[in-house]
């Protein structure tokens, strides 16, 4: 007959990995929330700022679609970021009804670098990993993400 200590042995590697992934996600969420608090940004403003930094000259409709908000919502959001001095609106040379949004702050310098500090630290840690192991783990994580996302 099995004793309870025999049936409750070490957790499976899958559950250990699952816990590690959940812990990573929580640590990233906490770091992002702290950065937003320190910068007095709400989550949508921070996400918009990072999106526009990765997509310079994005149209408000691109920001709207990325964030899943209304046209009025994106206008208000961009107005806040313009007033804050974080982005600027530029009129399109060919169609004056179209705006292009550009980040005008340095997201790589304090205090704005806080928005990406956790991800930068992860990249630095990954850079020190064995390339073959990092490649294998990336494939595993992509597969897990695809299966979990449906």
């Amino acid at each position: 007959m099995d004793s309870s200590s025999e049936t409750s042995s070490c957790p499976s590697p899958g559950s250990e990995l699952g816990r590690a992934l959940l812990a990573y996600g929580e640590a990233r969420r906490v770091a992002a929330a702290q950065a937003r608090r320190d910068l007095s940004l709400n989550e949508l403003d921070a996400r918009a700022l990072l999106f526009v930094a990765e997509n310079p000259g994005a149209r408000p409709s691109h920001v709207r679609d990325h964030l899943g908000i209304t046209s009025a919502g994106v206008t208000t959001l961009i107005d806040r970021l313009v007033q804050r001095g974080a982005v600027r609106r530029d009129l399109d040379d060919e169609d004056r009804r179209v705006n292009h949004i550009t980040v005008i702050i340095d997201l790589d310098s304090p205090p704005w670098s806080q928005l990406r500090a956790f991800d930068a630290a992860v990249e630095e840690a990954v850079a020190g990993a064995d390339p073959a192991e990092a490649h294998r783990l990336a494939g595993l994580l992509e597969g897990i993400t695809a299966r979990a996302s449906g």
Side-chain angles (χ1 to χ4, degrees), residues 24-64:
Y24 166 83
E26 179 62 10
R28 187 173 191 274
R29 187 195 66 73
V30 167
Q34 184 62 50
R36 288 190 310 268
R37 274 193 301 278
D38 291 348
L39 295 167
S40 299
L41 286 174
N42 68 42
E43 183 177 358
L44 276 180
D45 289 1
R47 288 178 53 208
L49 196 54
L50 292 172
F51 176 79
V52 173
E54 294 295 320
N55 300 279
R59 296 169 85 169
S61 59
H62 299 149
V63 177
R64 178 200 68 212

